[in-house]
């Protein structure tokens, strides 16, 4: 067995161990489980999709032996499947407008992953509905049971929190999942770039542009929210939140592009992110900015940065 295959198997086993840390109940272990995608992305973005498939098979085999079909299924849906899809998209090459070979633009990868996560959410919520259950009631009971097992008494205040969370609970879970996917991929890419083992150059956030169909998908979900009712409206509302994530990133791309025009770029971005984290509404504003940028191209065809401004 070659060294590269052994490393792929090791990465898969490491990912499965991080995945199983969720079952420990330890807060630190739970935090580490968020990096379960990282070993998979390290192998995939370094040695390609075939080695990533080897890692996924090793992880899934170990999980079947240790826990049966349930952990295997969850791992495939939450960890291995998305990691393989994102890696495959990131490493696909095609010709650009000038006829030169290049990698798929970051905007397409981000939008495609958001659609994939939204589709998984539709399948899961649809399965709950098919069982004759009310989705919101099911989620309310799930959250109530979760707090009960944690020993938290059910008070009117806690019930209000549950009622608030159940409205967007699928979207909260899906968006967290999507952002952790991107975060793990970015960390893996940074590690590989530093060690000189990356297969593709790191994407420039300031130059990211979304494909045209991303707005159509988001608008379709918004249309269903306005004209549907019941479970369909609930699912459409949560899907719309997930499909808004690429526009949030597009808004951040615009901010990074404008900040690059100033010598105090890092200080500007640091202050910006501090304000954004402290205000939930800021993310809505940034998403709106991303939609405006998508429609009228505030940056033009080539984002203005300090470097290309000086070249002119």
């Amino acid at each position: 067995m070659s060294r590269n295959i052994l490393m792929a198997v090791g990465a898969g086993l490491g990912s499965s161990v991080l995945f199983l840390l969720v079952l420990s109940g330890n807060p630190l272990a739970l935090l580490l489980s968020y990096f379960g995608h990282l070993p998979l992305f390290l192998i995939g973005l370094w040695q390609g999709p075939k080695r990533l498939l080897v890692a996924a098979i090793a992880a899934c085999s170990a999980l079947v032996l240790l826990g049966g079909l349930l952990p295997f299924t969850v791992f495939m849906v939450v960890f291995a499947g998305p990691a393989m899809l994102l890696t495959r998209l990131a490493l696909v090459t095609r010709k650009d407008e000038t006829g030169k070979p290049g990698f798929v633009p970051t905007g397409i990868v981000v939008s495609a992953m958001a659609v994939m996560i939204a589709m998984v959410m539709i399948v899961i919520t649809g399965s709950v509905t098919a069982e004759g259950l009310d989705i919101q009631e099911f989620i309310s009971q799930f959250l109530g049971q979760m707090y009960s097992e944690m020993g938290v008494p059910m008070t009117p205040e806690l019930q209000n929190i549950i009622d608030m969370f159940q409205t967007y609970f699928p979207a909260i879970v899906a968006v967290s999942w999507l952002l952790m996917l991107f975060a793990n991929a970015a960390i893996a890419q940074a590690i590989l770039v530093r060690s000189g083992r990356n297969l593709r150059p790191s994407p420039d956030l300031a130059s990211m542009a979304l494909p045209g169909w991303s707005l159509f998908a988001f608008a379709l979900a918004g249309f269903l929210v306005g004209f549907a009712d019941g479970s369909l409206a609930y699912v459409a509302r949560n899907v719309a939140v997930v499909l808004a994530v690429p526009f949030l990133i597009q808004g951040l791309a615009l901010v990074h592009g404008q900040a690059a025009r100033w010598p105090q770029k890092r200080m500007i971005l640091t202050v910006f992110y501090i304000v954004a984290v402290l205000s939930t509404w800021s993310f809505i504003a940034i998403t709106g900015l991303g939609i405006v940028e998508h429609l009228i191209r505030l940056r033009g065809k080539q984002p203005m940065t300090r470097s290309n401004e000086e070249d002119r």
Side-chain angles (χ1 to χ4, degrees), residues 87-259:
T87 300
R88 179 60 180 166
L89 286 172
L91 296 180
V92 168
T93 57
R94 67 179 192 181
K95 293 183 179 180
D96 58 18
E97 296 177 355
T98 62
K100 297 180 180 178
F103 291 98
V104 172
T106 307
I108 294 179
V109 176
V110 168
S111 296
M113 292 305 299
V115 170
M116 186 276 294
I117 298 292
M119 291 177 64
V120 172
M121 187 175 68
I122 291 171
V123 170
I124 294 174
T125 53
S127 299
V128 173
T129 304
E131 293 293 327
L133 301 173
D134 181 85
I135 299 175
Q136 296 190 63
E137 182 63 26
F138 176 80
I139 291 174
S140 179
Q141 292 177 0
F142 170 78
L143 292 174
Q145 182 179 356
M146 182 182 69
Y147 280 114
S148 176
E149 292 178 355
M150 293 170 60
V152 180
M154 184 59 66
T155 62
E157 291 77 14
L158 180 59
Q159 186 60 52
N160 290 334
I161 293 175
I162 290 176
D163 292 340
M164 179 181 65
F165 268 103
Q166 75 174 14
T167 304
Y168 289 101
F169 182 74
I172 292 171
V173 174
V175 169
S176 300
W177 177 20
L178 182 60
L179 294 179
M180 285 310 301
L181 270 172
F182 292 149
N184 278 274
I187 293 171
Q189 177 71 4
I191 293 173
L192 293 174
V193 168
R194 181 174 287 271
S195 60
R197 292 182 170 88
N198 55 303
L199 294 178
R200 69 165 288 171
S202 296
D204 180 15
L205 179 60
S207 63
M208 191 192 83
L210 300 177
W213 54 261
S214 59
L215 184 59
F216 173 79
F218 176 67
L220 179 60
F223 174 83
L224 290 176
V225 172
F227 290 91
D229 55 11
S231 296
L232 180 58
Y234 178 79
V235 174
R237 182 165 59 246
N238 282 271
V239 167
V241 174
V242 176
L243 296 181
V245 170
F247 295 100
L248 170 64
I249 300 176
Q250 180 78 90
L252 294 175
L254 177 60
V255 172
H256 276 251
Q258 295 303 311

Side-chain angles (χ1 to χ4, degrees), residues 272-307:
F272 167 76
Y273 279 108
I274 290 175
V275 173
V277 170
L278 294 177
S279 174
T280 306
W281 291 102
S282 63
F283 290 100
I284 298 176
I286 296 168
T287 302
L289 186 63
I291 294 174
V292 173
E293 155 65 15
H294 184 77
L295 290 171
I296 63 177
R297 300 295 182 188
L298 297 172
R299 296 173 297 173
K301 291 185 177 180
Q302 180 182 11
M304 179 63 71
T305 63
R306 192 169 173 79
S307 59

